[in-house]
Amino acid sequence: MAGSQSSSATSWAPRAVAGGVLMGLANLVPGISGGTMLLAAGIYPRFIEAVADTTRLRLRLQPLLLLCLVGGAGGLAILLLAGVLRDLVIHYRWIMYSAFIGLTLGGVPLIWRLAQPAARAFWGGTAGGFAAMAALALLQSGPAASGTGSSGPLLLAAAGAAGAAAMILPGLSGGYLLLVLGQYEPILGAIDQVLEGLRGLSARAVLEAAGVLLPVLVGIAVGATVISNAVRFVLRRFRDATLGVLMGLLLGAVVGLWPFEDPASPAPLQAAAALGLASAGFVLTWTISRFGRTHSDPPGDQ
């Protein structure tokens, strides 16, 4: 039994780490969904099961290990790369968004494989998911909050719950929700302050940042508990339709990730480079989703 569990863990552990890193990076960028990245990495159904089990105090080794890998990798990516990624998106938007398009679409073959044979409910869910994602993308392209606002504990907790929703619901951008709530800069600033405090061995700086981040963590815990159990329910009761919605969200995410400021006239060389970056991202995510997979290890099985 121990050998079987170890073999099973080695099949999904690399995807859990990679998915956690991608989720952490995606949650820093307005318009990109951390849940979509988990879905693209092939770890989403298993992650939902693990969160739902743990929040219901059904504590088992493999779900706990998966949550540690995803959460640890995502948290480390956020802590180390928050400032860098924010600067890259601001100054090299078309490059970063081209890569994210490929990373997102790399999950499409996985969802298609899970949905076989594709039923009518799957196609209906796909159409609905695509329409919802396209509408959300149009909403996010409109005027948003500056990301700066008052930051009381309740508002910070609400921002944390929004972040949890973005981690669990593909297509929902945590970064955009933080912008709308006016908490984008306060929270990212607190994360940078923690890193600088650790580098400078300044306990005061870390404690000041903790006053901002602790309510956020409480909100994440509450939001993850509610949303993960809801998603688990629909995945089990309405599997075909839910997989269709997930497929539609992945395909529709491209609408909100269009990399060019002027969609009508990218330069030919720029368009070719964007296509190359998207292709590289697709291959990377597809490879991650295939890594270590066997016929006895379908996504979502525990």
Side-chain angles (χ1 to χ4, degrees):
M1 175 68 77
S4 174
Q5 289 182 348
S6 175
S7 175
S8 176
T10 58
S11 70
W12 52 255
R15 285 181 274 127
V17 173
V21 170
L22 293 174
M23 178 194 72
L25 296 179
N27 277 326
L28 294 172
V29 181
I32 302 178
S33 166
T36 300
M37 293 294 103
L38 288 179
L39 183 62
I43 203 69
Y44 183 79
R46 190 182 290 274
F47 176 76
I48 291 298
E49 291 283 340
V51 174
D53 279 350
T54 302
T55 57
R56 298 167 85 173
L57 300 182
R58 295 179 58 191
L59 305 179
R60 293 181 292 159
L61 178 59
Q62 287 201 12
L64 289 173
L65 177 59
L66 183 142
L67 292 180
C68 287
L69 290 174
V70 172
L76 190 61
I78 289 173
L79 182 63
L80 296 179
L81 299 173
V84 173
L85 189 67
R86 183 174 53 182
D87 291 342
L88 287 173
V89 170
I90 291 173
H91 298 295
Y92 304 100
R93 180 183 185 274
W94 74 271
I95 293 176
M96 298 301 295
Y97 273 46
S98 296
F100 272 115
I101 285 174
L103 290 170
T104 299
L105 292 181
V108 169
L110 172 69
I111 300 300
W112 177 249
R113 187 165 63 248
L114 288 175
Q116 297 306 303
R120 181 178 300 178
F122 172 82
W123 294 113
T126 299
F130 184 89
M133 188 69 250
L136 184 61
L138 293 175
L139 174 65
Q140 292 180 173
S141 66
S146 65
T148 305
S150 59
S151 297
L154 291 179
L155 195 52
L156 288 168
M167 285 188 287
I168 292 173
L169 297 175
L172 194 59
S173 167
Y176 177 74
L177 293 177
L178 294 185
L179 278 175
V180 171
L181 292 171
Q183 303 306 303
Y184 186 78
E185 289 187 13
I187 291 175
L188 263 64
I191 294 171
D192 282 340
Q193 187 175 343
V194 168
L195 187 57
E196 291 180 6
L198 293 174
R199 287 172 177 168
L201 300 179
S202 172
R204 180 178 179 179
V206 173
L207 289 175
E208 287 179 356
V212 174
L213 297 179
L214 284 178
V216 176
L217 293 175
V218 172
I220 289 174
V222 174
T225 299
V226 174
I227 297 168
S228 65
N229 282 282
V231 172
R232 182 192 201 187
F233 174 80
V234 297
L235 271 173
R236 290 186 169 186
R237 293 290 297 272
F238 310 102
R239 185 176 185 274
D240 289 341
T242 303
L243 287 174
V245 170
L246 295 178
M247 174 69 88
L249 292 174
L250 278 180
L251 295 173
V254 175
V255 177
L257 291 174
W258 185 256
F260 304 113
E261 299 279 349
D262 182 359
S265 58
L269 185 60
Q270 188 181 46
L275 182 60
L277 287 166
S279 299
F282 179 94
V283 171
L284 176 60
T285 305
W286 180 80
T287 302
I288 291 170
S289 71
R290 296 287 299 176
F291 193 96
R293 182 175 299 285
T294 66
H295 292 294
S296 61
D297 180 35
D301 286 357
Q302 298 290 344

